[in-house]
Amino acid sequence: MVSDSELKVVVLGLGYIGLPTAAVIARTGAKVLGIDVHENVVDTVNSGKVHIEEIDLDGLVSGVVARGNLRASLEIEPADVFVIAVPTPFGENHAPDIGYVLKAATSIAVVLKAGDVVVLESTSPVGTTEKVAELLTRLRPDLKIPGHCTGSPDVAIAYCPERVLPGRILVELIDNDRVIGGVTPRCARKALQFYRRFVRGACVTTSAKAAEMTKLTENAFRDVNIAFANELSMIAEGMDIDVWEVIRLANRHPRVNILSPGPGVGGHCIAVDPWFLVAADREHTPLIRTAREVNDGKTDYSIARAEALLAQLPNAPVACLGLAFKANIDDFRESPALKIAAHLAAAHGERIRIVEPYVDRLPADFDGTGAQLIDIDTAIETCPIFVVLVDHDVFKSVPLDERADKLVYDTRGVWPDQPRAAPGEALRLAS
């Protein structure tokens, strides 16, 4: 593979993973082209700015764009390495949709040449990387594609999933271990050489299918454990017990590590990926499927609890704290907080006030509802009811004396010292 300064890399998809990945690669000196289907994203990146909230990303992008190492375009160009980082949503009946991946691979086929490396990073159903290889075989019969040729292939095709935490993406892209799965062992080695340019963590090679299932397994594991915590929270609320105290005490056992409950599970990974395993083998995934249903059901449960609280002070303004799927980010994908707040806004209109410090205007979900975006201080001054949906740091900073007289439903355990309402009575009101 060529030197860092001569390496040309194309990253397809400039979202929450693609843009940070492109910027980190560009920092090594490689010439990186980011491809996106949205013209406003391309223009934003080319101006040295960012369209997503992530710690230190704005400074990094500004720097690599200024040095000429990163630019963006709507049109693909030839390169040495192609990294696919496009969405993989699920469709009807939670069936995985790899249409964006195949569309990206189709665009790569036009400029693919001997010696190139193609890496899929999008979280995908098992077998997707091999489908990319099959597609390239059909589109480029002039090239020897791994798994579909005899002798040495002309290109390398591999799968290397991201495994980063929003808010720490730039650090974890470099420091976290990476699993690199090749269509063949030779493909894995070729991809390994590329990732070694910017990853300090261990890079472990395996097959493409094993790497794909590893990514799905990681997120399904967390989903199952969160479902256990969410079930505990509903049991504890019915018994008027502080579930966060119970979990804290249980976790003092040396072999117990219960995760934190919440209003559901959000984000593109944990809320989506387990369904890929269910779709692959429904007969043998009852636990994974049930965990998904429990976590989705926790959102409905949280809506009922919130509605019960609102009924205690009819017509009083209500502050919904947070819309993001986790703390201190602006990512609303599959966010249970957004779903709950949007439901309340649709039902109660102008009563609902949204506090979300990571946006300057409400998402389209609130159009026509009459809900308002306010800051935390205004909420404290004007709202007697609080529904805490996200554990942003700014919410944690509110002392008890500023909220002691509020009616609060806290889905995140942000205010453990808050006087608690009677949940059993609230649930009866809701029903």
Side-chain angles (χ1 to χ4, degrees), residues 61-353:
V61 169
S62 176
V64 293
V65 169
R67 290 194 295 274
N69 289 341
L70 174 63
R71 58 189 177 91
S73 176
L74 298 169
E75 302 294 333
I76 199 164
E77 298 177 9
D80 305 302
V81 179
F82 298 89
V83 178
I84 300 174
V86 297
T88 48
F90 57 70
E92 189 176 352
N93 297 321
H94 300 112
D97 179 0
I98 62 170
Y100 295 118
V101 170
L102 298 180
K103 185 175 181 179
T106 300
S107 68
I108 291 170
V110 177
V111 296
L112 194 65
K113 64 184 186 301
D116 287 352
V117 176
V118 178
V119 182
L120 175 60
E121 284 206 0
S122 306
T123 303
S124 302
V126 175
T128 302
T129 309
E130 292 184 351
K131 285 185 170 62
V132 169
E134 292 169 4
L135 177 63
L136 293 177
T137 300
R138 294 197 303 272
L139 296 177
R140 291 298 303 273
D142 57 310
L143 292 175
K144 297 169 69 174
I145 304 299
H148 299 269
C149 68
T150 58
S152 299
D154 290 329
V155 298
I157 302 174
Y159 181 74
C160 182
E162 54 79 19
R163 43 171 32 161
V164 295
L165 183 69
R168 287 179 49 83
I169 290 178
L170 294 182
V171 173
E172 297 198 353
L173 279 175
I174 297 169
D175 290 342
N176 285 3
D177 296 350
R178 301 299 290 259
V179 176
I180 302 170
V183 171
T184 66
R186 181 190 179 106
C187 292
R189 292 193 296 273
K190 292 284 188 180
L192 171 66
Q193 294 176 45
F194 168 63
Y195 280 93
R196 268 278 152 250
R197 292 170 180 263
F198 62 93
V199 173
R200 285 196 294 256
C203 291
V204 182
T205 59
T206 184
S207 68
K209 282 187 174 182
E212 289 164 339
M213 187 164 181
T214 296
K215 172 63 175 180
L216 301 180
T217 298
E218 291 166 359
N219 289 327
F221 172 84
R222 288 181 56 78
D223 198 43
V224 169
N225 279 269
I226 294 170
F228 177 70
N230 279 334
E231 282 198 350
L232 285 180
S233 72
M234 291 183 282
I235 297 169
E237 284 184 0
M239 297 180 177
D240 194 19
I241 299 170
D242 182 348
V243 69
W244 285 277
E245 180 184 15
V246 170
I247 291 174
R248 186 171 59 253
L249 295 173
N251 283 348
R252 297 180 69 89
H253 189 291
R255 289 172 295 282
V256 172
N257 183 24
I258 303 169
L259 301 180
S260 296
V265 173
H268 180 65
C269 290
I270 300 178
V272 176
D273 300 352
W275 288 118
F276 293 1
L277 289 174
V278 174
D281 189 349
R282 191 172 185 87
E283 180 182 357
H284 297 111
T285 51
L287 177 62
I288 296 171
R289 184 173 65 251
T290 299
R292 276 282 72 239
E293 292 167 351
V294 167
N295 286 330
D296 285 347
K298 183 62 186 296
T299 302
D300 296 332
Y301 172 91
S302 298
I303 288 172
R305 289 281 285 114
E307 289 282 11
L309 198 66
L310 269 61
Q312 295 183 29
L313 286 178
N315 303 317
V318 180
C320 292
L321 304 192
L323 297 177
F325 83 84
K326 69 183 296 293
N328 305 320
I329 62 172
D330 70 341
D331 191 343
F332 299 160
R333 291 176 296 174
E334 303 295 324
S335 172
L338 177 61
K339 294 175 185 175
I340 294 166
H343 173 96
L344 296 178
H348 301 282
E350 295 181 358
R351 285 186 68 187
I352 305 303
R353 318 292 162 83

Side-chain angles (χ1 to χ4, degrees), residues 411-431:
T411 69
R412 296 282 187 176
V414 172
W415 295 333
D417 56 350
Q418 183 74 27
R420 298 213 310 279
E425 180 179 351
L427 282 174
R428 286 194 292 275
L429 283 170
S431 62

